[in-house]
Every structure is written in C-alpha cells, then in structure tokens.
Amino acid sequence: MKHLKVIFILAAVIGLSACQSKVEYGDATEVETVNENFGSTDLQAISAKMVDSMLTFPPVVAITANDRPIIFVDKIKNKTSEHIDTESVTDSISNKLLRSGKFRFIDMTKVDSVRKQLDYQNNSGMVDPSTAISFGRQIGAQYMLYGNLSSIVKQDGSTKDVYYKMTMRLMDLETGLIEWSDEKEIRKVKSKSFLGM
C-alpha cells in the first residue's frame, strides 16, 4: 500500500511537471501555420501585395509624381464566416502607404474626437481665442481607399480547404472614378491523418 502511494505521488509530480507551459518570443515575420484560419502571415502578405501593387500602378505613379495626395482608408469589410480583425489589416496597409512618403492621410476614425476638441477650444471659454484652432480649416481627402475580405470554405472528410480573397480599390472622390484596383488570393488546406494529428 505504501508503494502505491509513492508511485501515485511520483506520477502526480511527473504529470504536473509535464503540464508546465513555456512562453518564448518568436519572429513576427515567420510563417505561421497553427491552423487554417486567417493569421499574421496572411495579414502581412496581403498588406505587402496591396501596397506594392498600388504604388507601382502607372496611374498612381503619375498621381504621386509631383504631389502627396490626401486619402482616407475605409475599414476593410469582413465578408468571411470567421472573426477577423480587419482593423489590423487596414492599419497595416495605411502604415505602409504613409511610410512610402507618397500619400498624406485623414483618419476618419478620429473625426468625432477632433470635433469635440475643436468645440472645447472655441466654445468652452477656457482656451485663449488667439490659440484656438478654427472650425472649417481642415483639408478634405481627394481619394478613398476601401476593400473587402471574403472567403470560401469547403470540407470533404478529413480535408478542409479555405480560400481567402482581398479586393481593394482607390476612388477619386471628385469624379467617382476608380484609379486603382487589385486583389490578393490565399488558399490554405488542412488535412488530418488517420491518428487525428
């Protein structure tokens, strides 16, 4: 009986030590294939492809040759069946375009905050009128960048196929003309072995 207790305690100690988790830093640009869902590698690939395509498209090259047009980026619409943080995709594309030095941006997500600050400066009586920023002085965007992320998911037995497609367009707000459009496709296939691995 005493030996059984010792064996049980040893098994418990070994079991607990085997269950300890370990956290390490990884390379943020390393290919991530934990599962078939949309992940960081997909976000990076889509962002890079879209920005490279837009910056090298001849009409966009002409538009940005002697000017830094003002654009706003509408949040990418998620038309997939899974939860995807499309704000991160939108941010990555915006950052890459801004860092290219070819465009200037208006952040439409902060319009209400700006309006409140301007109202405070001009109407609260607490700000020196000579330092208050006037209403109606902001510069309007010339272009709007927008897009959709969609997916098609198919499963047959132990194989699951997920196809993602990102489509983006750059619209001239004055004319309504589309100046640039492109799409990026990603396909992921997940297969299970007989052992369920």
Side-chain angles (χ1 to χ4, degrees):
M1 196 69 165
K2 196 173 191 178
H3 293 295
L4 286 175
K5 282 185 182 180
V6 171
I7 291 172
F8 178 74
I9 291 171
L10 282 175
V13 169
I14 291 170
L16 286 174
S17 64
C19 292
Q20 292 179 349
S21 62
K22 180 179 177 182
V23 176
E24 295 177 340
Y25 281 101
D27 181 357
T29 60
E30 187 176 319
V31 174
E32 170 262 317
T33 55
V34 174
N35 58 37
E36 74 281 4
N37 295 336
F38 191 87
S40 61
T41 301
D42 307 316
L43 185 151
Q44 292 163 356
I46 281 176
S47 300
K49 161 77 162 79
M50 288 302 178
V51 171
D52 289 346
S53 170
M54 187 171 151
L55 291 177
T56 58
F57 189 60
V60 175
V61 171
I63 290 168
T64 59
N66 299 312
D67 192 17
R68 288 179 65 210
I70 301 165
I71 69 175
F72 83 90
V73 182
D74 197 20
K75 184 178 173 185
I76 304 299
K77 290 184 177 45
N78 181 5
K79 294 189 170 184
T80 71
S81 58
E82 65 183 277
H83 171 73
I84 296 174
D85 182 8
T86 53
E87 191 170 338
S88 289
V89 180
T90 306
D91 288 345
S92 290
I93 291 168
S94 298
N95 287 336
K96 287 179 188 304
L97 285 171
L98 185 61
R99 292 187 58 80
S100 74
K102 300 288 187 182
F103 295 95
R104 292 177 291 167
F105 284 83
I106 292 174
D107 188 348
M108 294 303 294
T109 65
K110 297 301 176 192
V111 169
D112 286 338
S113 297
V114 170
R115 187 180 297 122
K116 287 176 185 172
Q117 177 57 211
L118 291 178
D119 186 53
Y120 169 76
Q121 289 185 22
N122 288 280
N123 299 319
S124 70
M126 299 180 72
V127 176
D128 181 346
S130 67
T131 64
I133 296 172
S134 303
F135 279 103
R137 302 285 308 231
Q138 292 189 5
I139 297 173
Q142 298 161 280
Y143 297 92
M144 176 175 74
L145 184 63
Y146 62 98
N148 300 311
L149 180 62
S150 58
S151 67
I152 299 171
V153 180
K154 291 190 174 182
Q155 187 154 2
D156 183 22
S158 61
T159 302
K160 185 175 183 181
D161 181 277
V162 184
Y163 165 84
Y164 294 101
K165 183 172 82 167
M166 167 76 112
T167 305
M168 292 199 76
R169 293 184 175 93
L170 179 69
M171 177 192 286
D172 183 322
L173 290 174
E174 185 176 5
T175 64
L177 294 173
I178 303 300
E179 296 289 351
W180 166 83
S181 181
D182 203 351
E183 58 188 27
K184 166 73 176 166
E185 299 169 300
I186 295 172
R187 167 163 267 125
K188 291 181 165 184
V189 179
K190 177 182 179 182
S191 300
K192 289 185 180 176
S193 71
F194 291 114
L195 299 175
M197 303 298 283

